[in-house]
């Protein structure tokens, strides 16, 4: 847990024990209960936990976005290759500002 990100009343907490956030967790059930069909993935390390979570989401039938400016890696070449590969077959790769603009446009705020 990150102290600067307190858990508020009504927040969901998912304890992740492996590389992917869906593996042996209740994350998918939570998303389905909230009628979520699209996830944006952020985190570290791009070619390990981020990729595993994003691919799990894809395989579960969720539309999946990896936020290129919200992921990181200790290996710049692997980071770049993972983002390119994901964009080719599994989902979208975009930066957080572009996603925010799409959300605002869809909500009629732009």
């Amino acid at each position: 847990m990150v102290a600067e990100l307190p858990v508020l009343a009504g927040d969901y907490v998912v304890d992740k024990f492996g590389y992917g956030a869906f593996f042996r967790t209740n994350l998918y059930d939570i998303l389905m209960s909230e009628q979520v069909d699209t996830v944006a993935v952020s985190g570290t390390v791009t070619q390990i936990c981020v990729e595993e979570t994003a691919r799990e989401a894809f395989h579960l039938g969720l539309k999946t976005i990896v936020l290129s400016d919200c992921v990181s890696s200790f290996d710049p070449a692997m980071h770049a290759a993972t983002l390119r590969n994901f964009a080719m077959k599994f989902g979208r790769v975009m930066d957080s500002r572009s996603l925010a603009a799409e959300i605002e446009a869809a909500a009629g705020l732009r």
Side-chain angles (χ1 to χ4, degrees), residues 2 7 11 22-23 25 30 32 37 42 44 49 55 63 67 69-70 72-73 77 89-90 94 98 110:
V2 177
V7 177
D11 284 352
F22 289 93
F23 182 71
T25 72
I30 291 168
M32 292 300 96
D37 69 350
S42 63
T44 191
C49 295
R55 284 189 184 210
K63 295 176 212 161
L67 296 171
D69 60 330
C70 297
S72 64
S73 173
K89 295 288 183 181
F90 300 101
M94 62 193 316
S98 297
R110 279 193 163 196

Tab-separated table of all heavy atoms in Angstrom, residues 2 7 11 22-23 25 30 32 37 42 44 49 55 63 67 69-70 72-73 77 89-90 94 98 110:
chain	number	residue	atom	x	y	z
A	2	VAL	N	0.388	2.267	-0.634
A	2	VAL	CA	1.077	3.553	-0.679
A	2	VAL	C	0.349	4.493	0.272
A	2	VAL	O	-0.851	4.730	0.119
A	2	VAL	CB	1.077	4.122	-2.118
A	2	VAL	CG1	1.731	5.493	-2.159
A	2	VAL	CG2	1.759	3.151	-3.074
A	7	VAL	N	-7.213	4.317	1.550
A	7	VAL	CA	-8.436	3.610	1.167
A	7	VAL	C	-9.602	4.359	1.786
A	7	VAL	O	-9.654	4.579	2.997
A	7	VAL	CB	-8.398	2.148	1.665
A	7	VAL	CG1	-9.696	1.439	1.329
A	7	VAL	CG2	-7.204	1.419	1.064
A	11	ASP	N	-14.255	2.083	-1.289
A	11	ASP	CA	-13.193	1.628	-2.187
A	11	ASP	C	-13.073	0.110	-2.121
A	11	ASP	O	-13.302	-0.493	-1.074
A	11	ASP	CB	-11.837	2.220	-1.786
A	11	ASP	CG	-11.676	3.675	-2.168
A	11	ASP	OD1	-12.538	4.215	-2.878
A	11	ASP	OD2	-10.675	4.278	-1.732
A	22	PHE	N	-5.445	-10.259	-11.881
A	22	PHE	CA	-6.652	-11.081	-11.958
A	22	PHE	C	-6.436	-12.491	-11.407
A	22	PHE	O	-7.395	-13.149	-11.022
A	22	PHE	CB	-7.139	-11.179	-13.407
A	22	PHE	CG	-7.714	-9.895	-13.925
A	22	PHE	CD1	-6.912	-8.994	-14.599
A	22	PHE	CD2	-9.044	-9.580	-13.728
A	22	PHE	CE1	-7.431	-7.801	-15.078
A	22	PHE	CE2	-9.578	-8.390	-14.193
A	22	PHE	CZ	-8.762	-7.495	-14.875
A	23	PHE	N	-5.205	-12.958	-11.366
A	23	PHE	CA	-4.914	-14.332	-10.975
A	23	PHE	C	-5.236	-14.559	-9.500
A	23	PHE	O	-4.626	-13.948	-8.617
A	23	PHE	CB	-3.446	-14.662	-11.256
A	23	PHE	CG	-3.076	-16.074	-10.922
A	23	PHE	CD1	-3.537	-17.128	-11.686
A	23	PHE	CD2	-2.265	-16.344	-9.829
A	23	PHE	CE1	-3.193	-18.435	-11.372
A	23	PHE	CE2	-1.914	-17.645	-9.512
A	23	PHE	CZ	-2.396	-18.695	-10.282
A	25	THR	N	-7.656	-13.596	-7.679
A	25	THR	CA	-8.192	-12.451	-6.943
A	25	THR	C	-9.662	-12.297	-7.295
A	25	THR	O	-10.182	-12.966	-8.186
A	25	THR	CB	-7.460	-11.133	-7.304
A	25	THR	OG1	-7.840	-10.715	-8.618
A	25	THR	CG2	-5.952	-11.269	-7.190
A	30	ILE	N	-15.397	-8.030	-9.101
A	30	ILE	CA	-15.681	-6.634	-8.766
A	30	ILE	C	-16.031	-5.849	-10.021
A	30	ILE	O	-17.025	-5.118	-10.056
A	30	ILE	CB	-14.476	-5.989	-8.040
A	30	ILE	CG1	-14.300	-6.596	-6.655
A	30	ILE	CG2	-14.631	-4.473	-7.967
A	30	ILE	CD1	-12.984	-6.220	-5.988
A	32	MET	N	-17.160	-6.926	-12.878
A	32	MET	CA	-18.448	-7.366	-13.416
A	32	MET	C	-19.610	-6.821	-12.583
A	32	MET	O	-20.639	-6.417	-13.129
A	32	MET	CB	-18.516	-8.889	-13.498
A	32	MET	CG	-17.568	-9.499	-14.527
A	32	MET	SD	-17.855	-8.942	-16.229
A	32	MET	CE	-16.665	-7.599	-16.398
A	37	ASP	N	-16.513	-2.690	-18.590
A	37	ASP	CA	-16.109	-3.460	-19.768
A	37	ASP	C	-14.739	-3.053	-20.299
A	37	ASP	O	-14.213	-3.667	-21.215
A	37	ASP	CB	-17.149	-3.354	-20.878
A	37	ASP	CG	-17.231	-1.968	-21.507
A	37	ASP	OD1	-16.630	-1.010	-20.981
A	37	ASP	OD2	-17.919	-1.843	-22.536
A	42	SER	N	-2.035	0.458	-15.260
A	42	SER	CA	-0.832	1.212	-14.928
A	42	SER	C	-0.032	0.383	-13.933
A	42	SER	O	-0.546	-0.577	-13.370
A	42	SER	CB	-1.193	2.569	-14.319
A	42	SER	OG	-1.877	2.385	-13.099
A	44	THR	N	4.082	-1.092	-12.491
A	44	THR	CA	5.459	-1.451	-12.759
A	44	THR	C	5.582	-2.948	-12.519
A	44	THR	O	4.885	-3.484	-11.668
A	44	THR	CB	6.415	-0.626	-11.854
A	44	THR	OG1	7.734	-0.783	-12.284
A	44	THR	CG2	6.258	-0.935	-10.405
A	49	CYS	N	4.505	-7.525	-14.513
A	49	CYS	CA	3.181	-7.388	-13.885
A	49	CYS	C	2.176	-6.637	-14.755
A	49	CYS	O	1.008	-7.021	-14.839
A	49	CYS	CB	3.308	-6.699	-12.535
A	49	CYS	SG	4.245	-7.666	-11.324
A	55	ARG	N	-2.867	-8.655	-20.260
A	55	ARG	CA	-3.238	-9.839	-21.047
A	55	ARG	C	-4.352	-10.628	-20.370
A	55	ARG	O	-5.235	-11.156	-21.033
A	55	ARG	CB	-2.032	-10.730	-21.286
A	55	ARG	CG	-1.103	-10.181	-22.341
A	55	ARG	CD	-0.069	-11.222	-22.679
A	55	ARG	NE	0.891	-10.730	-23.618
A	55	ARG	CZ	1.508	-11.511	-24.502
A	55	ARG	NH1	1.262	-12.802	-24.539
A	55	ARG	NH2	2.389	-11.001	-25.323
A	63	LYS	N	-12.068	-4.847	-22.692
A	63	LYS	CA	-11.297	-3.927	-23.519
A	63	LYS	C	-10.175	-3.407	-22.631
A	63	LYS	O	-10.419	-3.020	-21.484
A	63	LYS	CB	-12.179	-2.787	-24.009
A	63	LYS	CG	-13.287	-3.230	-24.931
A	63	LYS	CD	-14.171	-2.070	-25.291
A	63	LYS	CE	-15.581	-2.587	-25.487
A	63	LYS	NZ	-16.574	-1.523	-25.404
A	67	LEU	N	-1.554	2.316	-20.182
A	67	LEU	CA	-1.214	3.739	-20.169
A	67	LEU	C	0.302	3.899	-20.215
A	67	LEU	O	0.996	3.659	-19.226
A	67	LEU	CB	-1.800	4.399	-18.926
A	67	LEU	CG	-3.325	4.387	-18.882
A	67	LEU	CD1	-3.829	4.858	-17.526
A	67	LEU	CD2	-3.895	5.232	-20.004
A	69	ASP	N	2.407	6.282	-20.210
A	69	ASP	CA	3.110	7.187	-19.295
A	69	ASP	C	2.836	6.852	-17.824
A	69	ASP	O	3.280	7.577	-16.934
A	69	ASP	CB	2.764	8.643	-19.587
A	69	ASP	CG	1.288	8.960	-19.445
A	69	ASP	OD1	0.444	8.058	-19.673
A	69	ASP	OD2	0.960	10.108	-19.129
A	70	CYS	N	2.154	5.748	-17.583
A	70	CYS	CA	1.841	5.323	-16.209
A	70	CYS	C	2.374	3.930	-15.926
A	70	CYS	O	1.912	3.244	-15.009
A	70	CYS	CB	0.330	5.362	-15.978
A	70	CYS	SG	-0.372	7.003	-16.120
A	72	SER	N	6.267	1.541	-16.042
A	72	SER	CA	7.721	1.729	-16.056
A	72	SER	C	8.424	0.382	-16.017
A	72	SER	O	7.814	-0.643	-15.725
A	72	SER	CB	8.164	2.570	-14.860
A	72	SER	OG	7.888	1.873	-13.655
A	73	SER	N	9.702	0.436	-16.325
A	73	SER	CA	10.516	-0.768	-16.326
A	73	SER	C	11.964	-0.416	-16.040
A	73	SER	O	12.410	0.701	-16.301
A	73	SER	CB	10.430	-1.463	-17.690
A	73	SER	OG	11.331	-2.546	-17.748
A	77	ALA	N	14.408	-1.184	-23.315
A	77	ALA	CA	14.122	-1.930	-24.548
A	77	ALA	C	12.944	-2.883	-24.358
A	77	ALA	O	12.067	-2.992	-25.230
A	77	ALA	CB	15.367	-2.696	-25.006
A	89	LYS	N	-1.741	-6.750	-30.824
A	89	LYS	CA	-2.656	-7.886	-30.737
A	89	LYS	C	-3.655	-7.867	-29.593
A	89	LYS	O	-4.655	-8.569	-29.646
A	89	LYS	CB	-1.849	-9.198	-30.622
A	89	LYS	CG	-1.033	-9.519	-31.832
A	89	LYS	CD	-1.923	-9.950	-32.963
A	89	LYS	CE	-1.092	-10.342	-34.170
A	89	LYS	NZ	-1.907	-10.731	-35.287
A	90	PHE	N	-3.403	-7.132	-28.525
A	90	PHE	CA	-4.184	-7.340	-27.315
A	90	PHE	C	-5.057	-6.161	-26.894
A	90	PHE	O	-6.053	-6.360	-26.209
A	90	PHE	CB	-3.251	-7.724	-26.160
A	90	PHE	CG	-2.486	-8.977	-26.434
A	90	PHE	CD1	-1.159	-8.929	-26.841
A	90	PHE	CD2	-3.094	-10.212	-26.315
A	90	PHE	CE1	-0.449	-10.085	-27.107
A	90	PHE	CE2	-2.390	-11.378	-26.575
A	90	PHE	CZ	-1.069	-11.310	-26.973
A	94	MET	N	-1.875	3.955	-24.938
A	94	MET	CA	-2.020	5.403	-25.079
A	94	MET	C	-1.558	6.073	-23.792
A	94	MET	O	-1.413	5.411	-22.768
A	94	MET	CB	-3.476	5.772	-25.381
A	94	MET	CG	-4.450	5.399	-24.285
A	94	MET	SD	-6.219	5.460	-24.731
A	94	MET	CE	-6.388	6.951	-25.616
A	98	SER	N	-4.385	11.428	-23.259
A	98	SER	CA	-5.254	11.034	-24.370
A	98	SER	C	-6.480	10.287	-23.859
A	98	SER	O	-7.595	10.503	-24.345
A	98	SER	CB	-4.490	10.167	-25.370
A	98	SER	OG	-3.430	10.899	-25.950
A	110	ARG	N	-16.302	17.956	-23.682
A	110	ARG	CA	-15.432	18.648	-24.658
A	110	ARG	C	-16.213	18.959	-25.887
A	110	ARG	O	-17.076	18.320	-26.316
A	110	ARG	CB	-14.251	17.761	-25.033
A	110	ARG	CG	-13.188	17.828	-23.992
A	110	ARG	CD	-11.937	17.203	-24.528
A	110	ARG	NE	-10.859	17.663	-23.668
A	110	ARG	CZ	-9.627	17.579	-23.975
A	110	ARG	NH1	-9.247	17.078	-25.100
A	110	ARG	NH2	-8.698	17.990	-23.161
